[in-house]
Amino acid sequence: MSAVLVSSGTADSSAARWNPWYMIPILLMHLAAALAVVPWLFTWSGLAICLVGTHLFGMLGINIGYHRLLTHRSLAVPKWLERLFSTIALCSLQDTPVRWVSTHRLHHVHSDEPPDPHSPRDGVTWAHIGWIFRDPTDRQTFAFYDRYARDLLADPFYMYLEKRPLSAFGIYLVHLVLFGLAGLVMGFCWGGMPEAVRVAASWLVWGGVVRTVLVWHMTWSVNSLSHLFGYRNYATGENSRNNWFVALIAAGEGWHNNHHHDPASASVQHRWWEIDITYYFIQLLAALGLAWNVVPPRHVRQARRAARAIARA
């Protein structure tokens, strides 16, 4: 899976340069998240929003929106819902949809080969975060995006974000302001103006900044841990692994070997105990009429084709 603020890095330093537009915001966000240790900023409501938000923003924005919907087209949803999921991803300070999708599709084409932007073969630190700080010029061009994400570039919404990348950062800032305003209102209702200021600051730090950093590391762990540790159901020709820990924290995305075996599937659950919370939510959307053309796992597709063949015989 691609990570936040995609730069399509490479381990070959001669072909890449440091990218301050990605490095500086990531470092600043980690420093801002460290404010969570300040006792005055801690509230139980802020912690709850952080924990719930980490899974909701990660699952809806990254897992469903950027990954299974936009990248692999494993399902279809109304256009307004697709754009809502993309906006939620932007509220986790992920890169524009076109850049994220382009890099992840490149990863699947060249997984754990030299063109792979974040292979652990170049080191676990590189796979987890180092690749984001490097910026090869040949993967920051319109030609690269047109090759790997032409379908997204045809959408005016995604093209707008690509032409005006600062608008993505603006969306993130607006969502932080909304967290602060919500905390201000609730804090005032609970304890007047002094409490309003404290809750607003707590929700902004815990619900906004800390939650963003946690979603980052959940995403990055798929790139690093799920290509290093775990078991394999399939011989996929690269080093993808099924990692229960990553699956737990990333709502199913850690069943990465299953995903590389069948990237078109909306589900990565191939054994009954490989829980895929993201797929369960997709099923809920389908039951509500908000998702269709949901692609089941390959073994299910094959069984259905066999049953149809028998029925026609």
Side-chain angles (χ1 to χ4, degrees):
M1 171 184 280
S2 301
V4 65
L5 296 168
V6 172
S7 64
S8 305
T10 175
D12 181 3
S13 60
S14 64
R17 57 187 171 82
W18 293 109
N19 189 343
W21 296 104
Y22 293 84
M23 178 183 295
I24 293 175
I26 289 175
L27 295 177
L28 290 178
M29 285 293 290
H30 279 81
L31 289 174
L35 292 173
V37 303
V38 177
W40 185 76
L41 289 172
F42 176 81
T43 61
W44 287 107
S45 59
L47 176 62
I49 291 173
C50 175
L51 295 178
V52 173
T54 296
H55 291 282
L56 284 181
F57 278 75
M59 181 177 68
L60 301 180
I62 309 307
N63 298 1
I64 296 180
Y66 275 8
H67 190 209
R68 305 191 195 188
L69 176 59
L70 294 185
T71 301
H72 296 294
R73 298 299 182 181
S74 301
L75 67 152
V77 300
K79 184 60 68 173
W80 66 266
L81 185 57
E82 175 185 308
R83 293 177 177 177
L84 175 60
F85 286 154
S86 297
T87 302
I88 292 172
L90 292 171
C91 290
S92 291
L93 205 59
Q94 300 280 344
D95 209 339
T96 62
V98 168
R99 299 186 184 198
W100 201 103
V101 168
S102 296
T103 300
H104 187 62
R105 288 175 177 173
L106 174 67
H107 165 67
H108 273 273
V109 173
H110 299 287
S111 184
D112 290 321
E113 299 173 353
D116 188 342
H118 45 65
S119 173
R121 291 183 177 182
D122 300 315
V124 62
T125 302
W126 176 267
H128 193 74
I129 190 172
W131 70 280
I132 305 170
F133 296 158
R134 288 291 197 172
D135 177 23
T137 55
D138 63 335
R139 294 175 187 166
Q140 289 291 303
T141 65
F142 181 84
F144 174 72
Y145 305 140
D146 184 60
R147 178 180 180 183
Y148 287 99
R150 181 176 299 176
D151 54 329
L152 269 67
L153 290 173
D155 187 298
F157 176 67
Y158 301 128
M159 179 62 84
Y160 176 87
L161 291 173
E162 204 54 46
K163 289 182 176 180
R164 301 167 179 82
L166 286 180
S167 61
F169 187 65
I171 290 173
Y172 182 78
L173 291 180
V174 168
H175 119 280
L176 282 186
V177 171
L178 293 177
F179 266 101
L181 289 176
L184 191 70
V185 171
M186 294 304 300
F188 184 81
C189 293
W190 292 335
M193 185 53 66
E195 184 66 7
V197 173
R198 189 173 81 93
V199 174
S202 176
W203 285 21
L204 192 151
V205 170
W206 281 92
V209 177
V210 175
R211 184 261 308 160
T212 298
V213 171
L214 289 177
V215 172
W216 284 355
H217 285 282
M218 286 166 50
T219 304
W220 298 342
S221 293
V222 179
N223 298 336
S224 56
L225 299 182
S226 292
H227 275 261
L228 286 171
F229 308 106
Y231 65 92
R232 293 167 60 82
N233 287 334
Y234 307 99
T236 51
E238 30 65 42
N239 294 326
S240 61
R241 299 280 192 267
N242 288 328
N243 187 296
W244 68 267
F245 175 73
V246 178
L248 178 65
I249 65 173
E253 294 292 273
W255 309 122
H256 202 51
N257 178 246
N258 295 349
H259 172 60
H260 271 263
H261 169 71
D262 186 15
S265 174
S267 171
V268 293
Q269 181 172 347
H270 290 192
R271 299 181 179 181
W272 69 266
W273 46 265
E274 293 170 343
I275 304 301
D276 183 6
I277 300 297
T278 298
Y279 182 59
Y280 303 159
F281 192 87
I282 291 174
Q283 290 181 309
L284 174 61
L285 291 176
L288 295 173
L290 293 175
W292 56 90
N293 294 338
V294 178
V295 180
R298 181 178 296 165
H299 63 274
V300 175
R301 302 197 300 272
Q302 291 173 341
R304 290 178 179 175
R305 284 195 296 267
R308 287 195 295 267
I310 294 173
R312 289 194 298 267

